[in-house]
Amino acid sequence: MNKQELFENIKKKKSFLCVGLDTDIKKIPEHLLKEEDPIFAFNKAIIDATAPYCIAYKPNLAFYESMGVKGWIAFEKTVEYIKKNYPDQFIIADAKRGDIGNTSAMYARTFFEELNIDSVTVAPYMGEDSVTPFLTYEGKWVILLALTSNKGSHDFQLTTDTEGERLFEKVLRKSQEWANDQNMMYVVGATQGRMFEDIRKIVPNHFLLVPGIGAQGGSLEEVCKYGMTKECGLIVNSSRAIIYADKTENFANAAAEEAKKVQQQMEKELAAIL
């Protein structure tokens, strides 16, 4: 899916919501534990309920890998289900990979060849040769960690060099030598507020994947005020607030209601550019 196709889907659905599939076997409704594959059964119900209100899904690999082979099978089945039944959805493998070149090449092969996923999150710490193997696949996206929503982001990402440049700013500037806004996005946490202004000075046209609204307390209104572009430029993720809205047999309907609320907020924010 290219940048224009992504924006067309945002316009069609009046939404830039990504639903994070952070599916924890210990948090899903108890009745699903009787299913042959409880994780997939949960994901399938959530996807069917929320698909009208979102443009992307983001399975977080940690939640699947924690269950070994069973979890990986559930992950693969989830990806295939989305691709078959909702082909307009942008799929993000939230894997945060990044290693020496030949290892990154294997990670890229996993997600882009074997699973044929649209995008993968990548850690930039090891530099160019750890990122570029992911950029050799036409039509695929790298989503590079830039400024995250967690408290620990201050430990490294906001540190400055002798010229006053913060580390996340160095990541944004340097990575533009490797790719452009047609195949690279950046992760920027919703809790960073007005920092989006500084980010947009460096990457005015790139899409940003924005986690941190909902359970983490980020403000959608603030993210849009400082981060939205004329092509939207945002994919805003919500995970727990949507998928765990209810723990009864009504969980999918509750998830749909939460997703719809966010979509309606997004429709208002999009009014200025659509």
PDB file of all heavy atoms in Angstrom, residues 33 42 64 79 84 100 103-104 107 109 116 129 132 136 146 150 165 173 197 218 227 239 259 272:
ATOM      1  N   LEU A  33     -11.464 -19.021  26.309  1.00  0.00           N
ATOM      2  CA  LEU A  33     -10.432 -20.008  26.620  1.00  0.00           C
ATOM      3  C   LEU A  33     -10.844 -21.421  26.234  1.00  0.00           C
ATOM      4  O   LEU A  33     -10.008 -22.321  26.146  1.00  0.00           O
ATOM      5  CB  LEU A  33     -10.078 -19.951  28.106  1.00  0.00           C
ATOM      6  CG  LEU A  33      -9.522 -18.600  28.599  1.00  0.00           C
ATOM      7  CD1 LEU A  33      -9.252 -18.651  30.093  1.00  0.00           C
ATOM      8  CD2 LEU A  33      -8.264 -18.204  27.824  1.00  0.00           C
ATOM      9  N   PHE A  42     -10.346 -14.296  19.656  1.00  0.00           N
ATOM     10  CA  PHE A  42     -10.482 -12.924  20.168  1.00  0.00           C
ATOM     11  C   PHE A  42     -10.184 -11.919  19.068  1.00  0.00           C
ATOM     12  O   PHE A  42     -10.967 -10.984  18.821  1.00  0.00           O
ATOM     13  CB  PHE A  42      -9.530 -12.733  21.351  1.00  0.00           C
ATOM     14  CG  PHE A  42      -9.539 -11.342  21.925  1.00  0.00           C
ATOM     15  CD1 PHE A  42     -10.514 -10.962  22.834  1.00  0.00           C
ATOM     16  CD2 PHE A  42      -8.562 -10.427  21.563  1.00  0.00           C
ATOM     17  CE1 PHE A  42     -10.521  -9.673  23.377  1.00  0.00           C
ATOM     18  CE2 PHE A  42      -8.556  -9.144  22.091  1.00  0.00           C
ATOM     19  CZ  PHE A  42      -9.542  -8.769  23.004  1.00  0.00           C
ATOM     20  N   TYR A  64       2.427 -12.327  21.075  1.00  0.00           N
ATOM     21  CA  TYR A  64       2.303 -13.606  20.382  1.00  0.00           C
ATOM     22  C   TYR A  64       3.512 -14.497  20.668  1.00  0.00           C
ATOM     23  O   TYR A  64       3.379 -15.699  20.917  1.00  0.00           O
ATOM     24  CB  TYR A  64       2.108 -13.365  18.885  1.00  0.00           C
ATOM     25  CG  TYR A  64       0.887 -12.515  18.631  1.00  0.00           C
ATOM     26  CD1 TYR A  64       0.982 -11.119  18.613  1.00  0.00           C
ATOM     27  CD2 TYR A  64      -0.372 -13.089  18.478  1.00  0.00           C
ATOM     28  CE1 TYR A  64      -0.144 -10.330  18.445  1.00  0.00           C
ATOM     29  CE2 TYR A  64      -1.499 -12.310  18.308  1.00  0.00           C
ATOM     30  CZ  TYR A  64      -1.382 -10.929  18.289  1.00  0.00           C
ATOM     31  OH  TYR A  64      -2.502 -10.145  18.141  1.00  0.00           O
ATOM     32  N   VAL A  79      -3.040 -12.241  10.651  1.00  0.00           N
ATOM     33  CA  VAL A  79      -2.594 -11.486   9.474  1.00  0.00           C
ATOM     34  C   VAL A  79      -3.331 -11.964   8.224  1.00  0.00           C
ATOM     35  O   VAL A  79      -3.830 -11.153   7.424  1.00  0.00           O
ATOM     36  CB  VAL A  79      -1.063 -11.621   9.292  1.00  0.00           C
ATOM     37  CG1 VAL A  79      -0.629 -11.076   7.933  1.00  0.00           C
ATOM     38  CG2 VAL A  79      -0.329 -10.895  10.421  1.00  0.00           C
ATOM     39  N   LYS A  84      -7.330 -11.323   3.841  1.00  0.00           N
ATOM     40  CA  LYS A  84      -8.382 -11.959   3.047  1.00  0.00           C
ATOM     41  C   LYS A  84      -9.707 -11.218   3.140  1.00  0.00           C
ATOM     42  O   LYS A  84     -10.399 -11.041   2.127  1.00  0.00           O
ATOM     43  CB  LYS A  84      -8.562 -13.406   3.503  1.00  0.00           C
ATOM     44  CG  LYS A  84      -9.636 -14.162   2.719  1.00  0.00           C
ATOM     45  CD  LYS A  84      -9.761 -15.608   3.206  1.00  0.00           C
ATOM     46  CE  LYS A  84     -10.867 -16.343   2.453  1.00  0.00           C
ATOM     47  NZ  LYS A  84     -11.000 -17.753   2.917  1.00  0.00           N
ATOM     48  N   ILE A 100      22.462  -6.176  13.105  1.00  0.00           N
ATOM     49  CA  ILE A 100      23.445  -6.046  12.031  1.00  0.00           C
ATOM     50  C   ILE A 100      22.806  -6.482  10.712  1.00  0.00           C
ATOM     51  O   ILE A 100      21.830  -7.228  10.694  1.00  0.00           O
ATOM     52  CB  ILE A 100      24.728  -6.842  12.327  1.00  0.00           C
ATOM     53  CG1 ILE A 100      24.421  -8.326  12.510  1.00  0.00           C
ATOM     54  CG2 ILE A 100      25.443  -6.276  13.534  1.00  0.00           C
ATOM     55  CD1 ILE A 100      25.672  -9.189  12.618  1.00  0.00           C
ATOM     56  N   THR A 103      21.344  -9.964   9.773  1.00  0.00           N
ATOM     57  CA  THR A 103      20.242 -10.357  10.648  1.00  0.00           C
ATOM     58  C   THR A 103      18.990  -9.565  10.317  1.00  0.00           C
ATOM     59  O   THR A 103      17.885 -10.124  10.254  1.00  0.00           O
ATOM     60  CB  THR A 103      20.632 -10.144  12.128  1.00  0.00           C
ATOM     61  OG1 THR A 103      21.884 -10.787  12.384  1.00  0.00           O
ATOM     62  CG2 THR A 103      19.567 -10.707  13.057  1.00  0.00           C
ATOM     63  N   SER A 104      19.155  -8.262  10.095  1.00  0.00           N
ATOM     64  CA  SER A 104      18.002  -7.449   9.683  1.00  0.00           C
ATOM     65  C   SER A 104      17.415  -7.952   8.374  1.00  0.00           C
ATOM     66  O   SER A 104      16.201  -7.910   8.174  1.00  0.00           O
ATOM     67  CB  SER A 104      18.408  -5.972   9.541  1.00  0.00           C
ATOM     68  OG  SER A 104      18.404  -5.331  10.799  1.00  0.00           O
ATOM     69  N   TYR A 107      15.056 -10.659   9.258  1.00  0.00           N
ATOM     70  CA  TYR A 107      13.826 -10.102   9.814  1.00  0.00           C
ATOM     71  C   TYR A 107      12.946  -9.547   8.694  1.00  0.00           C
ATOM     72  O   TYR A 107      11.733  -9.765   8.661  1.00  0.00           O
ATOM     73  CB  TYR A 107      14.137  -8.984  10.811  1.00  0.00           C
ATOM     74  CG  TYR A 107      14.635  -9.445  12.151  1.00  0.00           C
ATOM     75  CD1 TYR A 107      15.704  -8.795  12.778  1.00  0.00           C
ATOM     76  CD2 TYR A 107      14.037 -10.502  12.823  1.00  0.00           C
ATOM     77  CE1 TYR A 107      16.157  -9.186  14.018  1.00  0.00           C
ATOM     78  CE2 TYR A 107      14.486 -10.908  14.074  1.00  0.00           C
ATOM     79  CZ  TYR A 107      15.550 -10.242  14.672  1.00  0.00           C
ATOM     80  OH  TYR A 107      15.993 -10.633  15.907  1.00  0.00           O
ATOM     81  N   ARG A 109      12.933 -10.451   5.585  1.00  0.00           N
ATOM     82  CA  ARG A 109      12.398 -11.574   4.809  1.00  0.00           C
ATOM     83  C   ARG A 109      11.179 -12.176   5.517  1.00  0.00           C
ATOM     84  O   ARG A 109      10.180 -12.528   4.879  1.00  0.00           O
ATOM     85  CB  ARG A 109      13.476 -12.638   4.614  1.00  0.00           C
ATOM     86  CG  ARG A 109      13.024 -13.789   3.727  1.00  0.00           C
ATOM     87  CD  ARG A 109      14.068 -14.905   3.680  1.00  0.00           C
ATOM     88  NE  ARG A 109      15.322 -14.463   3.084  1.00  0.00           N
ATOM     89  CZ  ARG A 109      16.402 -15.253   2.989  1.00  0.00           C
ATOM     90  NH1 ARG A 109      16.350 -16.500   3.461  1.00  0.00           N
ATOM     91  NH2 ARG A 109      17.507 -14.789   2.439  1.00  0.00           N
ATOM     92  N   ASN A 116       4.222 -11.209   4.118  1.00  0.00           N
ATOM     93  CA  ASN A 116       3.708 -10.182   3.198  1.00  0.00           C
ATOM     94  C   ASN A 116       2.923  -9.090   3.937  1.00  0.00           C
ATOM     95  O   ASN A 116       1.833  -8.689   3.535  1.00  0.00           O
ATOM     96  CB  ASN A 116       2.836 -10.823   2.115  1.00  0.00           C
ATOM     97  CG  ASN A 116       2.567  -9.866   0.956  1.00  0.00           C
ATOM     98  OD1 ASN A 116       3.334  -8.940   0.721  1.00  0.00           O
ATOM     99  ND2 ASN A 116       1.475 -10.081   0.246  1.00  0.00           N
ATOM    100  N   ASP A 129      23.053   0.415   8.372  1.00  0.00           N
ATOM    101  CA  ASP A 129      23.083  -0.939   7.824  1.00  0.00           C
ATOM    102  C   ASP A 129      22.125  -1.880   8.537  1.00  0.00           C
ATOM    103  O   ASP A 129      21.849  -2.979   8.047  1.00  0.00           O
ATOM    104  CB  ASP A 129      24.503  -1.506   7.824  1.00  0.00           C
ATOM    105  CG  ASP A 129      25.115  -1.580   9.206  1.00  0.00           C
ATOM    106  OD1 ASP A 129      24.784  -0.729  10.047  1.00  0.00           O
ATOM    107  OD2 ASP A 129      25.940  -2.476   9.458  1.00  0.00           O
ATOM    108  N   THR A 132      18.529  -0.400   6.430  1.00  0.00           N
ATOM    109  CA  THR A 132      18.363  -0.460   4.973  1.00  0.00           C
ATOM    110  C   THR A 132      17.909  -1.814   4.430  1.00  0.00           C
ATOM    111  O   THR A 132      17.235  -1.847   3.387  1.00  0.00           O
ATOM    112  CB  THR A 132      19.653  -0.018   4.243  1.00  0.00           C
ATOM    113  OG1 THR A 132      20.782  -0.725   4.788  1.00  0.00           O
ATOM    114  CG2 THR A 132      19.877   1.475   4.413  1.00  0.00           C
ATOM    115  N   THR A 136      14.554  -2.474   1.040  1.00  0.00           N
ATOM    116  CA  THR A 136      14.766  -3.002  -0.314  1.00  0.00           C
ATOM    117  C   THR A 136      13.502  -3.586  -0.920  1.00  0.00           C
ATOM    118  O   THR A 136      13.519  -4.026  -2.064  1.00  0.00           O
ATOM    119  CB  THR A 136      15.866  -4.085  -0.295  1.00  0.00           C
ATOM    120  OG1 THR A 136      15.437  -5.170   0.554  1.00  0.00           O
ATOM    121  CG2 THR A 136      17.180  -3.531   0.216  1.00  0.00           C
ATOM    122  N   ALA A 146      11.261   6.988  16.793  1.00  0.00           N
ATOM    123  CA  ALA A 146      11.854   8.320  16.892  1.00  0.00           C
ATOM    124  C   ALA A 146      11.718   8.878  18.307  1.00  0.00           C
ATOM    125  O   ALA A 146      12.701   9.047  19.019  1.00  0.00           O
ATOM    126  CB  ALA A 146      11.218   9.268  15.874  1.00  0.00           C
ATOM    127  N   ASN A 150       6.710   6.340  26.206  1.00  0.00           N
ATOM    128  CA  ASN A 150       6.993   5.843  27.554  1.00  0.00           C
ATOM    129  C   ASN A 150       7.848   6.825  28.356  1.00  0.00           C
ATOM    130  O   ASN A 150       8.554   7.674  27.795  1.00  0.00           O
ATOM    131  CB  ASN A 150       7.698   4.486  27.478  1.00  0.00           C
ATOM    132  CG  ASN A 150       9.028   4.581  26.744  1.00  0.00           C
ATOM    133  OD1 ASN A 150       9.085   5.079  25.619  1.00  0.00           O
ATOM    134  ND2 ASN A 150      10.096   4.131  27.364  1.00  0.00           N
ATOM    135  N   GLU A 165      21.524  19.462  19.523  1.00  0.00           N
ATOM    136  CA  GLU A 165      20.595  18.598  18.788  1.00  0.00           C
ATOM    137  C   GLU A 165      20.225  17.396  19.646  1.00  0.00           C
ATOM    138  O   GLU A 165      21.090  16.706  20.190  1.00  0.00           O
ATOM    139  CB  GLU A 165      21.226  18.119  17.484  1.00  0.00           C
ATOM    140  CG  GLU A 165      20.271  17.284  16.627  1.00  0.00           C
ATOM    141  CD  GLU A 165      20.902  16.840  15.318  1.00  0.00           C
ATOM    142  OE1 GLU A 165      22.026  16.295  15.360  1.00  0.00           O
ATOM    143  OE2 GLU A 165      20.276  17.043  14.265  1.00  0.00           O
ATOM    144  N   ARG A 173      16.734  13.320  11.118  1.00  0.00           N
ATOM    145  CA  ARG A 173      17.528  13.926  10.034  1.00  0.00           C
ATOM    146  C   ARG A 173      18.363  12.887   9.305  1.00  0.00           C
ATOM    147  O   ARG A 173      18.378  12.839   8.070  1.00  0.00           O
ATOM    148  CB  ARG A 173      18.431  15.036  10.600  1.00  0.00           C
ATOM    149  CG  ARG A 173      17.671  16.274  11.053  1.00  0.00           C
ATOM    150  CD  ARG A 173      18.616  17.454  11.320  1.00  0.00           C
ATOM    151  NE  ARG A 173      17.840  18.645  11.644  1.00  0.00           N
ATOM    152  CZ  ARG A 173      17.572  19.049  12.894  1.00  0.00           C
ATOM    153  NH1 ARG A 173      18.023  18.338  13.924  1.00  0.00           N
ATOM    154  NH2 ARG A 173      16.872  20.132  13.117  1.00  0.00           N
ATOM    155  N   GLU A 197       5.466  19.747  17.011  1.00  0.00           N
ATOM    156  CA  GLU A 197       5.868  20.931  16.237  1.00  0.00           C
ATOM    157  C   GLU A 197       7.326  20.818  15.808  1.00  0.00           C
ATOM    158  O   GLU A 197       7.671  21.095  14.653  1.00  0.00           O
ATOM    159  CB  GLU A 197       5.670  22.202  17.075  1.00  0.00           C
ATOM    160  CG  GLU A 197       4.241  22.659  17.217  1.00  0.00           C
ATOM    161  CD  GLU A 197       4.138  24.006  17.901  1.00  0.00           C
ATOM    162  OE1 GLU A 197       4.710  24.166  18.995  1.00  0.00           O
ATOM    163  OE2 GLU A 197       3.485  24.910  17.336  1.00  0.00           O
ATOM    164  N   GLY A 218      -2.619  10.055  26.127  1.00  0.00           N
ATOM    165  CA  GLY A 218      -2.301  11.081  25.135  1.00  0.00           C
ATOM    166  C   GLY A 218      -3.558  11.749  24.596  1.00  0.00           C
ATOM    167  O   GLY A 218      -4.631  11.150  24.560  1.00  0.00           O
ATOM    168  N   GLY A 227       0.450  17.877  14.795  1.00  0.00           N
ATOM    169  CA  GLY A 227       1.059  16.860  13.956  1.00  0.00           C
ATOM    170  C   GLY A 227       0.404  16.597  12.611  1.00  0.00           C
ATOM    171  O   GLY A 227       1.010  15.986  11.732  1.00  0.00           O
ATOM    172  N   SER A 239      -4.902   0.654  21.680  1.00  0.00           N
ATOM    173  CA  SER A 239      -4.914  -0.791  21.902  1.00  0.00           C
ATOM    174  C   SER A 239      -5.852  -1.164  23.034  1.00  0.00           C
ATOM    175  O   SER A 239      -7.004  -1.520  22.821  1.00  0.00           O
ATOM    176  CB  SER A 239      -3.489  -1.291  22.199  1.00  0.00           C
ATOM    177  OG  SER A 239      -2.609  -0.986  21.141  1.00  0.00           O
ATOM    178  N   ALA A 259     -14.154   2.086  19.358  1.00  0.00           N
ATOM    179  CA  ALA A 259     -13.526   2.457  18.082  1.00  0.00           C
ATOM    180  C   ALA A 259     -14.352   3.517  17.366  1.00  0.00           C
ATOM    181  O   ALA A 259     -13.809   4.461  16.777  1.00  0.00           O
ATOM    182  CB  ALA A 259     -13.358   1.222  17.208  1.00  0.00           C
ATOM    183  N   ALA A 272     -10.990  19.755   8.471  1.00  0.00           N
ATOM    184  CA  ALA A 272     -10.244  20.911   7.973  1.00  0.00           C
ATOM    185  C   ALA A 272      -9.445  20.595   6.708  1.00  0.00           C
ATOM    186  O   ALA A 272      -9.125  21.510   5.929  1.00  0.00           O
ATOM    187  CB  ALA A 272      -9.282  21.402   9.059  1.00  0.00           C
TER     188      ALA A 272
END
